[in-house]
Amino acid sequence: MPNPSLHSVPGDQAPMHLLLEADPSAEAIAGYLHDCHCVVARLGRTTVGVYLLKALTADTWELMNIAVASEHQGQGIGRLLLDHAITQSRLLGARRLELGTGSFGHQLTFYQRAGFRVVAVEPDYFLTHYPEPLFEHGLQHRDRLRLALTL
Ligand SMILES: CC(C)(COP(=O)(O)OP(=O)(O)OC[C@H]1O[C@@H](n2cnc3c(N)ncnc32)[C@H](O)[C@@H]1OP(=O)(O)O)[C@@H](O)C(=O)NCCC(=O)NCCS
């Protein structure tokens, strides 16, 4: 497994091309990026991953975005970032970490393996919050799952 280094960076240095892999709306990203704690994973000088954490309340934070460059996926970098996000949110005072996803595929397994539980479904979320239809493996994203981890 590669051994990336993790760094906190200001939001304006966040790798937009990676954030767009997890959230295809640049407009949505612009709406939350400035409020987020941003961490990137680097291999040498190359940024290969990113996550964004945002405070919802004093003790509840949200993982707003997490992505690994496609050519580096499946090598454990995502798990490293997710574990770091969990530790970091605890250090920032969170008692609960939440996230939303439209994926019922490997991303859902990825979160559940780290202990996240499905706590709600928001029907039609992606139909009403995104101007363009979103597809993954030919399947349209419609409903958003809310997941949460008690810290
Ligand atoms: C989700 C994501 C961040 C995971 O990062 P990663 O570096 O590939 O994750 P890891 O290598 O740590 O793998 C975690 C698990 O997911 C599985 N996985 C990763 N990519 C996969 C893929 N394309 N297809 C199937 N399984 C995959 C791995 O096999 C691993 O499972 P294991 O624990 O049984 O070995 C990455 O796939 C990604 O950036 N996807 C695009 C953006 C995205 O969907 N973000 C989340 C939005 S909800």
Side-chain angles (χ1 to χ4, degrees), residues 21-22 66-68 73-76 78-79 101 106-107 110-111 113:
E21 293 290 321
I66 183 166
V68 172
Q73 288 178 13
Q75 300 172 11
R79 184 59 199 252
T101 182
H106 77 269
Q107 292 91 337
F110 169 69
Y111 297 128
R113 283 219 178 87

Side-chain angles (χ1 to χ4, degrees), residues 85-98:
I86 292 167
T87 304
Q88 197 63 30
S89 54
R90 226 181 249 127
L91 290 173
L92 290 164
R95 308 288 297 274
R96 180 180 167 92
L97 183 59
E98 297 187 356

Side-chain angles (χ1 to χ4, degrees), residues 1 18-23 48-50 63-70 72-82 99-103 105-111 113 136-137 141:
M1 178 204 154
L18 292 183
L19 296 176
L20 286 165
E21 293 290 321
D23 183 346
V48 296
V50 61
L63 181 67
M64 300 299 294
N65 193 305
I66 183 166
V68 172
S70 55
H72 293 284
Q73 288 178 13
Q75 300 172 11
I77 299 173
R79 184 59 199 252
L80 188 76
L81 283 166
L82 186 58
L99 62 87
T101 182
S103 175
H106 77 269
Q107 292 91 337
L108 183 55
T109 319
F110 169 69
Y111 297 128
R113 283 219 178 87
E136 189 178 58
H137 303 307
H141 282 200

